[in-house]
Amino acid sequence: MPTQTNENYLKALYYLHQKNSAISITDLGKEMEVSKPTVNDMVKKMQAKGWVKYEKYKPLQLTKQGLREATFIIRKHRLSEMFLSQVMGFGWEEVHDMAEEMEHLKSEMFFDRMDEILGFPTKDPHGSPIPDKNGNFVKPDYRLLSQVEIGKKVVLRALRESSTEFINFLNNKEIKLGTTMTIKQIEPFDKSMTVCYTTHTDVILSHTVCNGLLVEQLT
Amino acid sequence: MPTQTNENYLKALYYLHQKNSAISITDLGKEMEVSKPTVNDMVKKMQAKGWVKYEKYKPLQLTKQGLREATFIIRKHRLSEMFLSQVMGFGWEEVHDMAEEMEHLKSEMFFDRMDEILGFPTKDPHGSPIPDKNGNFVKPDYRLLSQVEIGKKVVLRALRESSTEFINFLNNKEIKLGTTMTIKQIEPFDKSMTVCYTTHTDVILSHTVCNGLLVEQLT
DNA sequence: AAATTTTGTTAGTCTTATCTAACTTTTTAA
DNA sequence: TTAAAAAGTTAGATAAGACTAACAAAATTT
């Protein structure tokens, strides 16, 4: 059974893998905000437990078991977010940090009951898929708004980041899941985009913001 | 801010204080299931943090601050039990262990929202008082069934232990909070009691069981 | 009051998770 | 293709939370 710290390393590895296939000790250290020797040590321990595969100077890999563990932590995180939002009435901008704590609770019953109460949801409040009790889930292949061309129409389906700060920004701009946007212009200099949606015309979104929005392309 | 381990020591001290005013290093060690040197060390650390007062070979004391911290942990525990039982539909025999984990969550918002959803309850599913947001609560002075005399009539108001095992025993005997019982007989040899309640006549309860039941005396 | 038992303390060790400083390997760029 | 930069490793330390073995102090019993 992974410790809480182990769980955080597993989750970090999982997220890094989503973007990048070759994860370095340094990458993981940055994600976890710890020094390289700390990661080095931890990786050895986690390899001994069978969760990661590592050879000196080579990229890190999650084993099948490690992936399984990571998936269950993510299940617990996303179910918690969903429960906090749907049952306890918290806003989508508030749930991430609380779920970050709750994901380490060990009681399976607790999460299974949440799942049941929520009617076995497949998406969390930020649009991310929730693995089921067996660890299965479908990863829809949305694209980043930042990668969409000018003139296209898209629907916001998920966020790649769920920090309170980021979501407060979206709330201010009245952007939510399901919002349909048309890309009017892309500034070559800073890659910022001018978009239109609902009653808003010509809203400028920075590249950083566009990089956090996962969309489904309509046209 | 106390660590999770600190919180458990504080809670243990709090519970020991309820029965016994003079708590020894040994007592705390037994409650926490750790060795005496471990307690000794920990007590020094917790004294440095201002939660306990201790002089060599003298009894342990919770400081005002320590008592405050303990009260908030108990608030979190009991609110969790209430939420698990009232909102999530768990049985009173299932909630203790889950609440034992949940009580260490740091988010105040989470517990305050629970409190609100539950309508600011003052008792948990086992009849124990729930401290409010300021740490205040009334400790009703029930007496132990084991201390009641023969012939008296009592109502079960709270449990002094909330383990699944103990409550499963009560469930089997169809004893719940609010059950009115009459004490028919007390066996001098082993202090077991013969009681009558609802449709049950002449049920024998061991001293151990009677010691776990907090009752209000009617006659 | 002395002997015994219980209680508490000291000293030294372990594990987990972290650090810095210094060194080595690999990669990249001149 | 070698020099510089980046990445990774080793060694030694620290803090929290635990242990055992051995000793000291206090309380209890005879």
Side-chain angles (χ1 to χ4, degrees), chain A residues 60-136:
Chain A
L60 286 161
Q61 298 238 214
L62 271 177
T63 61
K64 192 160 287 181
Q65 257 209 72
L67 183 64
R68 203 181 146 74
E69 294 287 355
T71 304
F72 286 124
I73 300 156
I74 284 159
R75 168 174 162 81
K76 291 194 285 176
H77 180 99
R78 295 186 180 160
L79 275 176
S80 298
E81 286 191 339
M82 202 60 182
F83 189 85
L84 289 166
S85 128
Q86 301 303 111
V87 176
M88 298 189 69
F90 286 104
W92 69 325
E93 75 286 353
E94 300 179 285
V95 300
H96 178 81
D97 293 349
M98 280 184 270
E100 205 74 14
E101 291 192 70
M102 293 171 73
E103 73 191 7
H104 300 294
L105 296 173
K106 297 299 177 192
S107 168
E108 267 198 50
M109 265 205 305
F110 179 58
F111 293 100
D112 291 346
R113 180 64 58 90
M114 271 188 188
D115 202 3
E116 200 186 316
I117 289 171
L118 291 165
F120 308 99
T122 58
K123 298 270 171 61
D124 78 9
H126 310 118
S128 301
I130 303 177
D132 69 17
K133 203 170 155 37
N134 301 310
N136 301 121

Coordinates of all heavy atoms in Angstrom, one line a residue, chain A residues 60-136:
Chain A
L60 N 12.0 7.7 -16.7 CA 11.1 6.9 -15.7 C 9.9 6.3 -16.4 O 9.4 6.9 -17.4 CB 10.6 7.9 -14.7 CG 11.6 8.4 -13.7 CD1 11.1 9.7 -13.1 CD2 11.8 7.4 -12.6
Q61 N 9.5 5.2 -15.9 CA 8.3 4.6 -16.4 C 7.4 4.1 -15.3 O 7.9 3.6 -14.3 CB 8.7 3.3 -17.3 CG 9.5 3.7 -18.5 CD 8.8 3.2 -19.7 OE1 9.5 2.8 -20.7 NE2 7.5 3.2 -19.8
L62 N 6.1 4.2 -15.4 CA 5.2 3.6 -14.5 C 5.0 2.2 -14.9 O 4.9 1.9 -16.1 CB 3.8 4.3 -14.6 CG 3.5 5.5 -13.7 CD1 2.1 6.1 -14.0 CD2 3.6 5.2 -12.2
T63 N 5.0 1.3 -13.9 CA 4.7 -0.1 -14.3 C 3.2 -0.3 -14.4 O 2.5 0.7 -14.1 CB 5.2 -1.1 -13.1 OG1 4.4 -0.7 -12.0 CG2 6.6 -1.0 -12.9
K64 N 2.7 -1.4 -14.8 CA 1.3 -1.7 -14.9 C 0.7 -1.5 -13.5 O -0.4 -0.8 -13.4 CB 1.0 -3.1 -15.4 CG -0.4 -3.4 -15.8 CD -0.5 -4.6 -16.7 CE 0.0 -4.3 -18.1 NZ -0.1 -5.4 -19.1
Q65 N 1.3 -2.0 -12.5 CA 0.8 -1.8 -11.1 C 0.8 -0.4 -10.7 O -0.1 0.1 -10.0 CB 1.8 -2.6 -10.2 CG 1.3 -3.9 -9.7 CD 1.9 -4.1 -8.3 OE1 1.5 -3.5 -7.3 NE2 2.9 -5.0 -8.3
G66 N 1.9 0.4 -11.0 CA 2.0 1.8 -10.7 C 0.8 2.6 -11.3 O 0.2 3.4 -10.7
L67 N 0.6 2.2 -12.6 CA -0.5 2.9 -13.3 C -1.8 2.6 -12.7 O -2.7 3.5 -12.5 CB -0.5 2.4 -14.8 CG -1.5 3.0 -15.7 CD1 -1.2 4.5 -15.9 CD2 -1.5 2.3 -17.1
R68 N -2.0 1.4 -12.2 CA -3.2 1.0 -11.6 C -3.4 1.8 -10.3 O -4.5 2.4 -10.0 CB -3.1 -0.5 -11.2 CG -4.4 -1.2 -11.0 CD -4.1 -2.7 -10.6 NE -5.2 -3.1 -9.7 CZ -6.5 -3.3 -10.0 NH1 -6.8 -3.2 -11.3 NH2 -7.4 -3.7 -9.2
E69 N -2.4 1.9 -9.5 CA -2.4 2.7 -8.3 C -2.8 4.1 -8.6 O -3.6 4.7 -7.9 CB -1.1 2.6 -7.5 CG -0.7 1.3 -6.9 CD -1.5 0.8 -5.7 OE1 -2.4 1.6 -5.2 OE2 -1.4 -0.3 -5.3
A70 N -2.1 4.7 -9.5 CA -2.3 6.1 -9.9 C -3.8 6.3 -10.3 O -4.4 7.3 -10.0 CB -1.4 6.5 -11.1
T71 N -4.3 5.3 -11.1 CA -5.7 5.5 -11.6 C -6.6 5.5 -10.4 O -7.6 6.3 -10.4 CB -6.0 4.3 -12.5 OG1 -5.0 4.2 -13.6 CG2 -7.4 4.4 -13.1
F72 N -6.4 4.7 -9.4 CA -7.3 4.7 -8.3 C -7.2 6.0 -7.5 O -8.2 6.4 -6.9 CB -7.1 3.5 -7.4 CG -7.6 2.2 -8.0 CD1 -6.8 1.1 -8.3 CD2 -8.9 2.2 -8.5 CE1 -7.3 0.0 -8.9 CE2 -9.5 1.1 -9.1 CZ -8.6 0.0 -9.4
I73 N -6.1 6.6 -7.4 CA -5.9 7.9 -6.7 C -6.7 8.9 -7.5 O -7.5 9.7 -6.9 CB -4.5 8.3 -6.6 CG1 -3.7 7.2 -5.8 CG2 -4.4 9.7 -5.9 CD1 -2.2 7.3 -6.1
I74 N -6.6 8.9 -8.8 CA -7.3 9.8 -9.6 C -8.8 9.6 -9.5 O -9.6 10.6 -9.4 CB -6.8 9.8 -11.1 CG1 -5.4 10.5 -11.1 CG2 -7.8 10.4 -12.1 CD1 -4.6 10.1 -12.2
R75 N -9.2 8.4 -9.5 CA -10.7 8.1 -9.2 C -11.1 8.7 -7.9 O -12.1 9.4 -7.9 CB -10.9 6.6 -9.1 CG -12.3 6.1 -8.6 CD -12.5 4.6 -8.6 NE -13.5 4.2 -7.8 CZ -14.8 4.2 -8.1 NH1 -15.2 4.7 -9.3 NH2 -15.8 3.8 -7.3
K76 N -10.4 8.6 -6.9 CA -10.8 9.1 -5.6 C -10.8 10.6 -5.6 O -11.7 11.3 -5.1 CB -9.8 8.6 -4.5 CG -10.0 7.1 -4.2 CD -9.3 6.7 -2.9 CE -7.8 6.6 -3.0 NZ -7.2 6.2 -1.7
H77 N -9.8 11.2 -6.3 CA -9.8 12.7 -6.5 C -11.0 13.2 -7.2 O -11.7 14.1 -6.8 CB -8.5 13.1 -7.2 CG -8.4 14.6 -7.4 ND1 -7.6 15.4 -6.5 CD2 -9.0 15.5 -8.2 CE1 -7.7 16.6 -6.9 NE2 -8.5 16.7 -7.9
R78 N -11.3 12.6 -8.3 CA -12.4 13.1 -9.2 C -13.8 12.8 -8.6 O -14.7 13.7 -8.7 CB -12.2 12.6 -10.6 CG -10.9 13.1 -11.2 CD -10.7 12.8 -12.7 NE -9.4 13.4 -13.1 CZ -8.7 13.0 -14.2 NH1 -9.2 12.0 -15.0 NH2 -7.6 13.6 -14.5
L79 N -13.9 11.7 -8.0 CA -15.2 11.4 -7.3 C -15.4 12.4 -6.2 O -16.5 13.0 -6.0 CB -15.2 10.0 -6.7 CG -15.6 8.9 -7.6 CD1 -15.5 7.5 -6.9 CD2 -17.0 9.0 -8.1
S80 N -14.3 12.8 -5.5 CA -14.5 13.7 -4.4 C -14.9 15.1 -5.0 O -15.8 15.7 -4.4 CB -13.1 13.9 -3.7 OG -12.7 12.7 -3.1
E81 N -14.2 15.5 -6.0 CA -14.6 16.8 -6.7 C -16.1 16.8 -7.0 O -16.8 17.8 -6.8 CB -13.8 17.0 -7.9 CG -12.3 17.4 -7.6 CD -11.6 17.8 -8.9 OE1 -12.0 17.5 -10.0 OE2 -10.5 18.5 -8.7
M82 N -16.5 15.7 -7.6 CA -17.9 15.6 -8.1 C -18.8 15.7 -6.9 O -19.9 16.4 -6.9 CB -18.0 14.3 -8.8 CG -19.2 14.3 -9.8 SD -19.0 15.5 -11.1 CE -20.5 15.2 -11.9
F83 N -18.5 15.0 -5.8 CA -19.3 14.9 -4.7 C -19.4 16.3 -4.0 O -20.5 16.8 -3.6 CB -18.8 13.9 -3.7 CG -19.7 13.6 -2.5 CD1 -20.7 12.7 -2.6 CD2 -19.5 14.3 -1.3 CE1 -21.6 12.5 -1.6 CE2 -20.4 14.1 -0.2 CZ -21.4 13.1 -0.4
L84 N -18.3 16.9 -3.9 CA -18.2 18.3 -3.3 C -19.1 19.3 -4.1 O -19.8 20.1 -3.5 CB -16.8 18.8 -3.2 CG -15.9 18.0 -2.2 CD1 -14.4 18.3 -2.5 CD2 -16.2 18.4 -0.8
S85 N -19.0 19.1 -5.4 CA -19.8 20.0 -6.2 C -21.2 19.7 -6.3 O -22.1 20.5 -6.1 CB -19.1 20.1 -7.6 OG -20.0 19.9 -8.7
Q86 N -21.6 18.4 -6.6 CA -23.0 18.1 -6.8 C -23.8 17.9 -5.5 O -24.9 18.2 -5.4 CB -23.1 16.8 -7.6 CG -22.4 16.8 -8.9 CD -23.0 17.9 -9.8 OE1 -22.3 18.9 -10.1 NE2 -24.2 17.8 -10.2
V87 N -23.1 17.3 -4.5 CA -23.9 17.0 -3.3 C -23.7 18.1 -2.2 O -24.6 18.5 -1.5 CB -23.5 15.6 -2.7 CG1 -24.2 15.4 -1.4 CG2 -23.8 14.5 -3.7
M88 N -22.5 18.6 -2.1 CA -22.2 19.6 -1.1 C -22.3 21.1 -1.5 O -22.2 22.0 -0.7 CB -20.9 19.3 -0.4 CG -20.9 17.9 0.3 SD -19.5 17.6 1.3 CE -19.7 18.7 2.7
G89 N -22.6 21.2 -2.8 CA -22.8 22.6 -3.3 C -21.6 23.5 -3.4 O -21.8 24.7 -3.5
F90 N -20.4 23.0 -3.5 CA -19.3 23.8 -3.7 C -19.1 24.2 -5.2 O -19.6 23.4 -6.1 CB -18.0 23.1 -3.3 CG -17.8 23.1 -1.8 CD1 -18.1 21.9 -1.1 CD2 -17.5 24.2 -1.0 CE1 -17.9 21.8 0.3 CE2 -17.3 24.1 0.4 CZ -17.6 22.9 1.0
G91 N -18.5 25.3 -5.5 CA -18.3 25.7 -6.9 C -17.1 25.0 -7.5 O -16.3 24.5 -6.8
W92 N -17.1 24.9 -8.8 CA -16.1 24.1 -9.5 C -14.7 24.7 -9.3 O -13.7 24.0 -9.5 CB -16.4 23.9 -11.0 CG -16.3 25.2 -11.9 CD1 -16.7 26.4 -11.5 CD2 -15.9 25.2 -13.2 NE1 -16.5 27.3 -12.6 CE2 -16.0 26.6 -13.6 CE3 -15.4 24.3 -14.2 CZ2 -15.7 27.0 -14.9 CZ3 -15.1 24.7 -15.4 CH2 -15.2 26.1 -15.8
E93 N -14.7 25.9 -8.8 CA -13.4 26.6 -8.5 C -12.9 26.2 -7.1 O -11.7 26.5 -6.8 CB -13.5 28.1 -8.7 CG -14.2 28.9 -7.6 CD -15.7 28.7 -7.6 OE1 -16.2 28.1 -8.6 OE2 -16.4 29.2 -6.7
E94 N -13.8 25.7 -6.3 CA -13.4 25.4 -4.9 C -13.0 24.0 -4.6 O -12.3 23.7 -3.6 CB -14.6 25.7 -3.9 CG -15.1 27.1 -4.0 CD -16.3 27.3 -3.0 OE1 -17.4 26.8 -3.4 OE2 -16.1 27.9 -2.0
V95 N -13.3 23.1 -5.5 CA -13.2 21.6 -5.2 C -11.9 21.0 -5.3 O -11.6 20.0 -4.6 CB -14.3 20.8 -6.0 CG1 -15.7 21.3 -5.6 CG2 -14.0 20.9 -7.5
H96 N -11.0 21.5 -6.1 CA -9.7 20.9 -6.3 C -8.9 20.7 -5.1 O -8.4 19.6 -4.8 CB -8.9 21.6 -7.4 CG -7.5 21.0 -7.6 ND1 -7.4 19.9 -8.4 CD2 -6.3 21.3 -7.0 CE1 -6.1 19.5 -8.3 NE2 -5.4 20.4 -7.5
D97 N -8.7 21.7 -4.3 CA -7.9 21.6 -3.1 C -8.4 20.7 -2.1 O -7.6 19.9 -1.4 CB -7.6 23.0 -2.5 CG -6.8 23.9 -3.5 OD1 -6.3 23.4 -4.5 OD2 -6.7 25.1 -3.2
M98 N -9.7 20.7 -1.9 CA -10.3 19.8 -0.9 C -10.1 18.3 -1.4 O -9.8 17.5 -0.6 CB -11.8 20.1 -0.7 CG -12.0 21.3 0.3 SD -13.7 21.6 0.6 CE -14.1 22.7 -0.8
A99 N -10.3 18.1 -2.7 CA -10.2 16.8 -3.2 C -8.8 16.3 -3.1 O -8.5 15.1 -2.9 CB -10.7 16.7 -4.7
E100 N -7.8 17.2 -3.2 CA -6.4 16.9 -3.0 C -6.1 16.2 -1.7 O -5.3 15.4 -1.6 CB -5.6 18.2 -3.2 CG -4.2 18.1 -3.6 CD -4.1 17.8 -5.1 OE1 -5.1 17.9 -5.9 OE2 -3.0 17.3 -5.5
E101 N -6.9 16.6 -0.7 CA -6.8 16.0 0.6 C -7.5 14.7 0.7 O -7.1 13.7 1.2 CB -7.3 16.9 1.7 CG -6.6 18.2 2.0 CD -7.2 18.8 3.3 OE1 -6.9 18.2 4.4 OE2 -7.9 19.8 3.2
M102 N -8.7 14.7 0.2 CA -9.6 13.6 0.3 C -9.1 12.4 -0.5 O -9.4 11.2 -0.1 CB -11.0 14.0 -0.2 CG -11.7 15.0 0.7 SD -13.2 15.6 0.0 CE -14.3 14.2 0.3
E103 N -8.4 12.6 -1.5 CA -8.0 11.5 -2.4 C -7.1 10.5 -1.6 O -6.8 9.4 -2.1 CB -7.2 12.0 -3.6 CG -5.8 12.6 -3.3 CD -5.2 13.3 -4.4 OE1 -5.8 13.5 -5.4 OE2 -4.0 13.7 -4.2
H104 N -6.6 10.9 -0.5 CA -5.7 10.0 0.3 C -6.4 9.2 1.3 O -5.8 8.4 2.0 CB -4.5 10.8 0.9 CG -3.7 11.5 -0.1 ND1 -2.9 10.9 -1.0 CD2 -3.6 12.8 -0.3 CE1 -2.3 11.7 -1.7 NE2 -2.7 13.0 -1.4
L105 N -7.7 9.4 1.5 CA -8.5 8.6 2.4 C -8.5 7.1 1.9 O -8.6 6.9 0.7 CB -9.9 9.1 2.5 CG -10.1 10.5 3.1 CD1 -11.5 11.0 3.0 CD2 -9.6 10.5 4.6
K106 N -8.4 6.2 2.8 CA -8.2 4.8 2.4 C -9.5 4.0 2.2 O -9.6 3.1 1.5 CB -7.4 4.0 3.5 CG -6.0 4.6 3.6 CD -5.2 4.4 2.3 CE -3.7 5.0 2.5 NZ -3.1 5.2 1.2
S107 N -10.6 4.5 2.9 CA -11.8 3.7 2.9 C -12.4 3.6 1.5 O -13.0 4.6 0.9 CB -12.8 4.3 3.8 OG -14.1 3.8 3.6
E108 N -12.4 2.4 0.9 CA -13.0 2.2 -0.4 C -14.5 2.4 -0.4 O -15.1 3.0 -1.3 CB -12.7 0.8 -0.9 CG -11.5 0.7 -1.7 CD -11.5 -0.6 -2.6 OE1 -12.5 -0.9 -3.2 OE2 -10.4 -1.2 -2.5
M109 N -15.2 1.9 0.7 CA -16.6 2.0 0.9 C -17.1 3.5 0.7 O -18.1 3.7 0.1 CB -16.9 1.7 2.4 CG -17.4 0.3 2.6 SD -18.4 0.2 4.1 CE -17.4 1.0 5.4
F110 N -16.3 4.4 1.3 CA -16.6 5.8 1.2 C -16.7 6.3 -0.2 O -17.7 6.9 -0.6 CB -15.5 6.6 2.0 CG -15.7 8.1 2.0 CD1 -16.9 8.6 2.6 CD2 -14.7 8.9 1.6 CE1 -17.0 10.0 2.6 CE2 -14.9 10.3 1.6 CZ -16.0 10.8 2.1
F111 N -15.7 5.9 -1.0 CA -15.7 6.4 -2.4 C -16.8 5.7 -3.2 O -17.4 6.3 -4.1 CB -14.3 6.3 -3.0 CG -13.4 7.2 -2.3 CD1 -12.5 6.8 -1.3 CD2 -13.4 8.6 -2.6 CE1 -11.6 7.7 -0.7 CE2 -12.5 9.5 -2.0 CZ -11.6 9.0 -1.0
D112 N -17.0 4.4 -2.9 CA -18.0 3.6 -3.7 C -19.4 4.2 -3.4 O -20.2 4.2 -4.3 CB -17.9 2.1 -3.4 CG -16.6 1.5 -3.9 OD1 -15.9 2.2 -4.7 OD2 -16.2 0.4 -3.5
R113 N -19.6 4.6 -2.2 CA -20.9 5.2 -1.8 C -21.1 6.5 -2.5 O -22.2 6.8 -3.1 CB -21.0 5.3 -0.3 CG -22.3 5.9 0.2 CD -23.5 5.0 -0.2 NE -23.4 3.7 0.4 CZ -23.9 3.3 1.6 NH1 -24.5 4.2 2.4 NH2 -23.7 2.1 2.0
M114 N -20.0 7.3 -2.5 CA -20.1 8.6 -3.3 C -20.5 8.3 -4.7 O -21.4 8.9 -5.3 CB -18.7 9.2 -3.4 CG -18.3 10.1 -2.3 SD -16.7 10.8 -2.8 CE -16.3 11.6 -1.3
D115 N -19.8 7.3 -5.3 CA -20.0 7.0 -6.7 C -21.5 6.6 -7.0 O -22.1 7.1 -7.9 CB -19.1 5.7 -7.0 CG -18.8 5.6 -8.5 OD1 -19.2 6.4 -9.3 OD2 -18.2 4.6 -8.8
E116 N -22.0 5.8 -6.1 CA -23.4 5.4 -6.1 C -24.4 6.6 -6.0 O -25.3 6.7 -6.8 CB -23.6 4.4 -4.9 CG -24.8 3.5 -5.1 CD -24.9 2.7 -3.8 OE1 -23.9 2.2 -3.2 OE2 -26.1 2.6 -3.3
I117 N -24.1 7.4 -5.0 CA -25.0 8.6 -4.7 C -25.0 9.5 -6.0 O -26.0 10.1 -6.3 CB -24.5 9.4 -3.5 CG1 -24.8 8.5 -2.2 CG2 -25.2 10.7 -3.4 CD1 -24.2 9.1 -0.9
L118 N -23.8 9.6 -6.6 CA -23.7 10.5 -7.8 C -24.2 9.8 -9.1 O -24.3 10.4 -10.1 CB -22.3 10.9 -8.0 CG -21.7 11.8 -6.9 CD1 -20.1 11.8 -7.0 CD2 -22.2 13.2 -7.1
G119 N -24.6 8.5 -9.0 CA -25.1 7.8 -10.2 C -24.0 7.4 -11.1 O -24.2 7.4 -12.3
F120 N -22.8 7.1 -10.5 CA -21.7 6.6 -11.3 C -21.3 7.5 -12.5 O -21.4 7.2 -13.6 CB -22.0 5.2 -11.8 CG -22.4 4.2 -10.7 CD1 -23.7 3.9 -10.5 CD2 -21.4 3.7 -9.9 CE1 -24.1 3.1 -9.5 CE2 -21.8 2.8 -8.8 CZ -23.1 2.5 -8.6
P121 N -20.9 8.7 -12.1 CA -20.6 9.7 -13.1 C -19.3 9.4 -13.9 O -18.5 8.7 -13.3 CB -20.4 11.0 -12.3 CG -19.9 10.5 -11.0 CD -20.6 9.2 -10.7
T122 N -19.2 9.8 -15.1 CA -18.0 9.5 -15.9 C -17.1 10.7 -16.1 O -16.0 10.6 -16.6 CB -18.4 9.0 -17.3 OG1 -19.2 9.9 -17.9 CG2 -19.2 7.7 -17.1
K123 N -17.6 11.9 -15.6 CA -16.8 13.1 -15.8 C -16.9 13.9 -14.5 O -17.9 14.0 -13.8 CB -17.4 14.0 -16.9 CG -17.4 13.5 -18.3 CD -16.2 13.8 -19.0 CE -16.1 13.0 -20.4 NZ -17.3 13.3 -21.2
D124 N -15.8 14.6 -14.1 CA -15.8 15.4 -12.9 C -16.2 16.8 -13.3 O -16.4 17.1 -14.4 CB -14.4 15.3 -12.2 CG -13.3 16.1 -12.9 OD1 -13.6 16.9 -13.8 OD2 -12.1 16.0 -12.5
P125 N -16.3 17.7 -12.3 CA -16.7 19.1 -12.6 C -15.9 19.9 -13.6 O -16.3 20.9 -14.1 CB -16.8 19.8 -11.3 CG -16.8 18.7 -10.2 CD -16.0 17.6 -10.8
H126 N -14.7 19.4 -13.8 CA -13.8 20.1 -14.8 C -13.7 19.3 -16.1 O -12.8 19.6 -16.9 CB -12.4 20.2 -14.2 CG -12.4 20.8 -12.8 ND1 -12.0 20.1 -11.7 CD2 -12.9 22.0 -12.3 CE1 -12.2 20.9 -10.6 NE2 -12.7 22.0 -11.0
G127 N -14.6 18.3 -16.3 CA -14.7 17.6 -17.5 C -13.7 16.4 -17.7 O -13.7 15.7 -18.7
S128 N -12.9 16.2 -16.6 CA -12.0 15.0 -16.7 C -12.7 13.7 -16.4 O -13.6 13.7 -15.6 CB -10.9 15.2 -15.7 OG -10.2 16.4 -15.9
P129 N -12.3 12.7 -17.1 CA -13.0 11.4 -16.9 C -12.7 10.8 -15.5 O -11.6 10.9 -15.0 CB -12.4 10.5 -18.0 CG -11.1 11.1 -18.3 CD -11.2 12.6 -18.1
I130 N -13.7 10.1 -15.0 CA -13.6 9.4 -13.7 C -13.5 7.9 -13.9 O -14.4 7.3 -14.4 CB -14.9 9.7 -12.8 CG1 -15.0 11.2 -12.6 CG2 -14.7 9.0 -11.4 CD1 -16.3 11.6 -11.8
P131 N -12.4 7.4 -13.5 CA -12.2 5.9 -13.7 C -13.3 5.2 -12.8 O -13.6 5.6 -11.7 CB -10.8 5.6 -13.1 CG -10.1 6.9 -13.2 CD -11.1 8.0 -13.0
D132 N -13.8 4.1 -13.3 CA -14.8 3.3 -12.6 C -14.1 2.4 -11.5 O -12.9 2.5 -11.4 CB -15.7 2.5 -13.5 CG -15.0 1.3 -14.2 OD1 -13.9 0.9 -13.7 OD2 -15.5 0.8 -15.2
K133 N -14.9 1.6 -10.8 CA -14.4 0.8 -9.7 C -13.2 -0.1 -10.1 O -12.4 -0.6 -9.4 CB -15.5 0.0 -9.1 CG -15.2 -0.4 -7.7 CD -16.5 -0.9 -7.0 CE -16.1 -1.9 -5.8 NZ -14.9 -1.5 -5.1
N134 N -13.2 -0.5 -11.4 CA -12.2 -1.3 -11.9 C -11.0 -0.6 -12.6 O -10.1 -1.2 -13.1 CB -12.8 -2.3 -13.0 CG -13.9 -3.1 -12.4 OD1 -13.7 -3.7 -11.4 ND2 -15.0 -3.2 -13.1
G135 N -11.1 0.7 -12.5 CA -10.0 1.5 -13.1 C -10.2 1.8 -14.5 O -9.3 2.4 -15.1
N136 N -11.3 1.5 -15.1 CA -11.5 1.8 -16.6 C -12.1 3.1 -16.8 O -13.0 3.5 -16.0 CB -12.4 0.7 -17.2 CG -11.8 -0.7 -17.0 OD1 -12.4 -1.6 -16.4 ND2 -10.6 -0.9 -17.5

